[in-house]
Amino acid sequence: KPTKERQRLPVVPLGIERDEFMKALKELGEQLGEEHVEINDKPLVDGWYMEHPNTHDMMTILDEEELVASAVVYPSSTEEVQAIVLWANKYRVPIFPISMGRNLGYGGAAPRVRGSVTIDLGRRMSAILDINPEDYTCLLEPGVSFYALYEALQARGYSHMWIDTPDLGGGSVVGNTVDRGVGYTPYGDHWAAHSGLEVVLPTGEVIRTGMGALPGNNTWQTFPYGFGPYSDGIFSQSNFGIVTKMGMTLMPNPGGYESFMYTFPHEADLAPLIDIIRPLRIGNILENVAQLRHVTQAIAALGQPRSDFFPGGDDDGGALSDDVVHAAATKHLAVGDHTWAYYGMSYGPDHIRKHKLALVDAEFRKIPGAKKVDPATLPADDYYFARDRIAAGIPDIHELRWVNWTPNGAHVAFSPVSPIRGTDATALFKLGKDTHDKYGIDFFPAFCVGLREMHLIVEIVFDRADPERRKAAMDCLREMVDKAARLGYGEYRTHLVLMDQVAGTYSWGGGAIMKFNERIKDALDPNGILAPGRCGIWPERYRGRGWEM
Ligand code: ADP
């Protein structure tokens, strides 16, 4: 690691001389205002979630200097984004747009290509352009966080509308949505809930998608498709454009809500429980993204270091044994020595909730030993209450607590998708557990049930200052991705450093989908300047030159 105090020599993107690059930056400064072009020559400071850096990944899994920006620029308008894109084409400089850069666990603010110029859209483009209280929609710039949107609804007295928030509420609504992030109300599929984009293309043109293409329309945020091919899809998890505005639908206040939590005693309850959840979820009796969490993760959510849980602080460096986990759970948690905790929420007025909750109760109690937890018995800072807020669309950051698990805690996710079936849950659980055990890593699985599929979200928490633990986390991840792919499971989203590998697992038809993506990339971005390599899509200029990892 470089010493933090020294001035750093800024990284220069490959293919341009240092002097020419500095001159080019100066030229860009003349267009944007020189204070809006920052060369990255300061020490790399990690900060924390709410004061995160925009120059690199604060939770890096490689050496921090690997995926680092050469400079950060701050446009204030779509026109300035266009100007930056034209400038990047002129000098063949890779640019990497972020909305707020709080994409923790997936690369944070880091660019995929070292020395890219990061476009921090969120700093100066953070307006809520519209909130429509009749249509239940809004129109946002990239710098609007879930907190900011929530607060704007409160401030305007719009209690009839809810937002949906992911586990951590400090990120950008636009950034999270274009990366197809999820939340926990019935509007949790953010991509499905958006309507209409404004996009700056890699050659500098601007388009509006859906009804936005019709001048004078009043349906951009209410009808997502417009006429002709539905183009929005190619701007999610890609590097085909820079989103400068996005429409989002808002959920009607359901007129009441009630969280509930059940625990189940044995690891082997997983399969029958998932089979019980499936018809309830598809039939919308379980109405939000259902979360089934393993007790180890509940222990980590206490926010204490793992060393606290070893008798006599005797951390042997390996993964926590089942005995230690259950002893800790019995001592510290309402789940006691149970293994699984289910967090859900029922929406609507009392009489409607009653009916649904009775159905859930009857089904869940088919698992011997199932227990419904009474929230009144829980301490005020119990994780249950964070789940309660999030399922009611109230932003929160409780989830961050488990990075205290190791010194210099960072996290990175493995998130394969499967049908909601007991056999799939068991196969993925075993795959994750065995691989974690092999690398001496504690296993934090949570099954998040969408509507007809579930994501297994496994967060590996590691000491980012320890190269050996970083490597163990990487090796474990890489092995899980390959093993999962061999069983037919793919990731729904991934970290920058795993994008090539994950894209490579989507290989049907001799890699037909990547060939298609590359053809779009080359047509839209002939100079290959926009976020090269993101999601495994390399422009022609980079292909076959050893950039993949
Ligand atoms: P958040 O603030 O929610 O954490 P980020 O700004 O980190 O989200 O966005 C996650 C990723 O999505 C970024 O690294 C970037 O690759 C992509 N992205 C975010 N915002 C945009 C945008 N406005 N246009 C194009 N791509 C974007």
Side-chain angles (χ1 to χ4, degrees):
K1 276 198 151 191
T3 30
K4 298 272 174 188
E5 292 72 30
R6 263 185 304 141
Q7 179 111 18
R8 297 168 47 259
L9 196 59
V11 179
V12 170
L14 280 186
I16 181 167
E17 295 294 326
R18 181 174 295 273
D19 288 353
E20 197 195 353
F21 180 61
M22 292 302 156
K23 260 202 299 210
L25 281 178
K26 203 156 179 294
E27 182 186 308
L28 187 60
E30 281 156 20
Q31 289 185 64
L32 304 183
E34 61 181 48
E35 69 278 28
H36 303 310
V37 175
E38 259 173 29
I39 296 176
N40 182 21
D41 58 0
K42 316 283 178 316
L44 298 178
V45 178
D46 288 344
W48 75 290
Y49 180 68
M50 294 311 273
E51 287 163 18
H52 67 291
N54 58 11
T55 47
H56 65 286
D57 183 2
M58 66 173 281
M59 295 197 163
T60 188
I61 191 163
L62 302 177
D63 186 282
E64 239 169 19
E65 290 281 349
E66 292 262 352
L67 302 182
V68 73
S70 55
V72 185
V73 300
Y74 302 97
S76 69
S77 64
T78 301
E79 291 72 25
E80 288 192 355
V81 174
Q82 291 177 274
I84 295 166
V85 166
L86 294 176
W87 169 87
N89 276 288
K90 179 173 166 190
Y91 291 102
R92 304 281 199 277
V93 168
I95 48 177
F96 193 89
I98 58 170
S99 283
M100 296 180 78
R102 288 209 177 100
N103 203 18
L104 299 189
Y106 295 108
R112 174 61 181 82
V113 164
R114 184 167 193 259
S116 297
V117 171
T118 293
I119 309 177
D120 186 335
L121 298 154
R123 181 77 65 93
R124 299 171 72 210
M125 296 173 73
S126 57
I128 296 174
L129 299 167
D130 185 42
I131 299 181
N132 188 314
E134 281 147 13
D135 297 339
Y136 294 71
T137 60
C138 60
L139 181 66
L140 309 173
E141 285 192 327
V144 180
S145 69
F146 293 94
Y147 272 106
L149 184 57
Y150 175 79
E151 282 159 16
L153 289 186
Q154 305 304 305
R156 296 182 200 190
Y158 290 155
S159 58
H160 64 299
M161 295 188 290
W162 280 19
I163 72 157
D164 183 278
T165 176
D167 290 301
L168 296 171
S172 153
V173 182
V174 172
N176 182 278
T177 304
V178 298
D179 210 26
R180 298 204 295 262
V182 296
Y184 299 92
T185 74
Y187 279 41
D189 180 348
H190 293 164
W191 183 252
H194 98 285
S195 183
L197 301 175
E198 179 184 87
V199 186
V200 174
L201 300 177
T203 40
E205 296 97 331
V206 188
I207 60 168
R208 289 187 173 185
T209 66
M211 295 308 290
L214 196 145
N217 81 82
N218 57 5
T219 41
W220 195 18
Q221 273 66 70
T222 50
F223 183 61
Y225 305 123
F227 181 75
Y230 176 55
S231 32
D232 290 41
I234 66 165
F235 299 109
S236 71
Q237 289 194 4
S238 76
N239 49 12
F240 298 157
I242 302 176
V243 176
T244 46
K245 294 182 180 66
M246 185 187 77
M248 196 72 188
T249 54
L250 298 166
M251 180 173 142
N253 182 333
Y257 61 94
E258 183 175 345
S259 276
F260 57 92
M261 174 182 176
Y262 284 82
T263 65
F264 305 91
H266 307 296
E267 215 152 76
D269 294 333
L270 175 66
L273 184 55
I274 291 289
D275 287 327
I276 285 173
I277 289 172
R278 182 181 56 251
L280 291 174
R281 182 69 184 103
I282 295 176
N284 229 8
I285 299 302
L286 294 171
E287 298 157 275
N288 67 336
V289 170
Q291 287 237 24
L292 189 63
R293 296 197 171 225
H294 193 267
V295 60
T296 331
Q297 202 179 27
I299 295 170
L302 288 167
Q304 290 168 236
R306 71 194 292 278
S307 52
D308 280 9
F309 301 100
F310 287 94
D314 192 17
D315 185 347
D316 60 4
L320 289 188
S321 70
D322 287 349
D323 291 348
V324 173
V325 168
H326 283 292
T330 308
K331 190 160 166 211
H332 297 280
L333 295 172
V335 329
D337 62 354
H338 279 201
T339 299
W340 296 103
Y342 180 97
Y343 299 89
M345 182 174 275
S346 182
Y347 301 87
D350 198 33
H351 61 285
I352 290 179
R353 295 202 306 268
K354 245 193 202 124
H355 171 66
K356 290 182 286 195
L357 288 170
L359 288 172
V360 172
D361 194 69
E363 289 300 307
F364 279 11
R365 286 191 194 281
K366 289 181 180 165
I367 304 286
K371 205 166 74 184
K372 186 169 188 182
V373 175
D374 176 3
T377 64
L378 299 174
D381 70 340
D382 193 89
Y383 185 57
Y384 168 89
F385 297 103
R387 296 316 316 167
D388 178 61
R389 286 188 289 275
I390 287 170
I394 303 169
D396 200 82
I397 55 170
H398 188 114
E399 194 76 28
L400 267 182
R401 288 195 184 187
W402 37 257
V403 297
N404 296 337
W405 193 242
T406 65
N408 311 299
H411 64 97
V412 60
F414 167 64
S415 8
V417 178
S418 79
I420 315 166
R421 288 191 204 131
T423 44
D424 293 291
T426 308
L428 283 169
F429 181 82
K430 184 170 171 354
L431 182 162
K433 178 87 169 85
D434 291 350
T435 319
H436 276 60
D437 282 347
K438 173 174 166 189
Y439 290 97
I441 297 172
D442 297 318
F443 184 42
F444 297 149
F447 288 92
C448 299
V449 185
L451 192 59
R452 281 185 176 72
E453 54 69 46
M454 63 189 179
H455 305 10
L456 166 61
I457 308 278
V458 177
E459 289 285 2
I460 295 184
V461 179
F462 60 97
D463 179 346
R464 69 183 185 279
D466 180 344
E468 263 176 42
R469 295 320 294 163
R470 288 203 309 249
K471 182 169 180 318
M474 268 301 278
D475 291 349
C476 180
L477 277 166
R478 291 220 183 267
E479 193 168 319
M480 289 191 297
V481 170
D482 277 344
K483 281 184 184 162
R486 279 199 292 275
L487 298 175
Y489 302 113
E491 276 62 51
Y492 93 103
R493 185 182 183 190
T494 200
H495 191 285
L496 284 177
V497 302
L498 293 173
M499 284 177 171
D500 293 312
Q501 187 189 0
V502 168
T505 63
Y506 286 77
S507 61
W508 183 86
I513 199 68
M514 184 50 80
K515 287 180 195 153
F516 174 76
N517 288 337
E518 287 173 350
R519 224 187 286 170
I520 298 178
K521 180 66 177 166
D522 293 342
L524 293 179
D525 187 5
N527 292 323
I529 48 112
L530 185 63
R534 182 164 151 74
C535 294
I537 305 164
W538 292 96
E540 203 268 323
R541 204 152 72 87
Y542 287 75
R543 283 205 288 277
R545 292 189 159 82
W547 285 90
E548 297 85 357
M549 59 183 178

